[in-house]
Amino acid sequence: QKAARDFAINECLPGVIERDEHQKFPKEQIEKLADLGFMGMMVSPEYGGSGMDTISYVIAMEEISKIDASVSVCMSVNNSLVCYGMQEFCNEEQKKKYIPKLASGEWAAAYCLTEPGAGSDALGAKTTATLSEDGKHWILNGQKMWITNAGFADLYTVFAKIDGKEFTGFLVERETP
């Protein structure tokens, strides 16, 4: 708690109003947060994280949120939405490839669920995933909005429907066509 509070006061507070007014992404603060291990708080040490419990994570989020909600949301997306989901649902190859990069802050993650007309109603999503003719690639079609870390992320978890039914997440690296 003290480390999170000190970070928020010393690193987030200076310039917080200016960043908000100019809608500037807090890149420098996120990088420093990663150096302190906050971007992988709940990630297992096996994948380079701190392996902390949910209570510790929430306390740290609360302290940072008091000063800079933008920084805390970036931290939350990386920990809760992306890394946690990957630890629970990805195969071992995917976990080893991506989670250490995300937990260390080498990479940033984005979570792509919300859509125009559907909001965050996952069942109302229109984005589709279709297997390519050669069966080697998935083709994603649709629109997403309000994506935290969108312009900064290296890895995107994009949610889409397969055959209009099954809803699943796809890991998409930044440079993927």
Side-chain angles (χ1 to χ4, degrees), residues 84-160:
Y84 176 80
M86 291 178 73
Q87 282 188 138
E88 293 296 313
F89 301 108
C90 285
N91 64 43
E92 197 59 32
E93 180 182 339
Q94 292 167 321
K95 291 176 187 181
K96 287 180 179 175
K97 181 176 181 179
Y98 295 117
I99 297 176
K101 291 178 182 178
L102 296 171
S104 70
E106 177 184 345
W107 278 23
Y111 190 80
C112 310
L113 173 67
T114 306
E115 295 187 4
S120 295
D121 172 17
L123 297 177
K126 305 276 189 249
T127 299
T128 61
T130 309
L131 201 55
S132 63
E133 288 184 24
D134 64 7
K136 294 181 180 180
H137 307 282
W138 287 97
I139 301 167
L140 303 177
N141 284 300
Q143 294 180 323
K144 300 293 182 181
M145 57 193 274
W146 299 319
I147 303 169
T148 302
N149 299 340
F152 182 66
D154 302 286
L155 184 68
Y156 300 81
T157 302
V158 182
F159 289 88

Side-chain angles (χ1 to χ4, degrees), residues 52-69:
M52 298 182 90
D53 61 34
T54 307
I55 300 294
S56 300
Y57 168 66
V58 170
I59 289 169
M61 285 290 303
E62 183 178 49
E63 291 298 329
I64 293 168
S65 296
K66 288 177 187 177
I67 303 291
D68 193 333

Side-chain angles (χ1 to χ4, degrees), residues 23-43:
Q23 299 176 16
K24 183 180 175 195
F25 186 79
K27 184 175 191 256
E28 184 179 315
Q29 288 72 24
I30 299 302
E31 289 171 351
K32 289 178 180 179
L33 200 62
D35 290 343
L36 294 172
F38 284 96
M39 295 302 279
M41 284 188 75
M42 295 194 312
V43 171

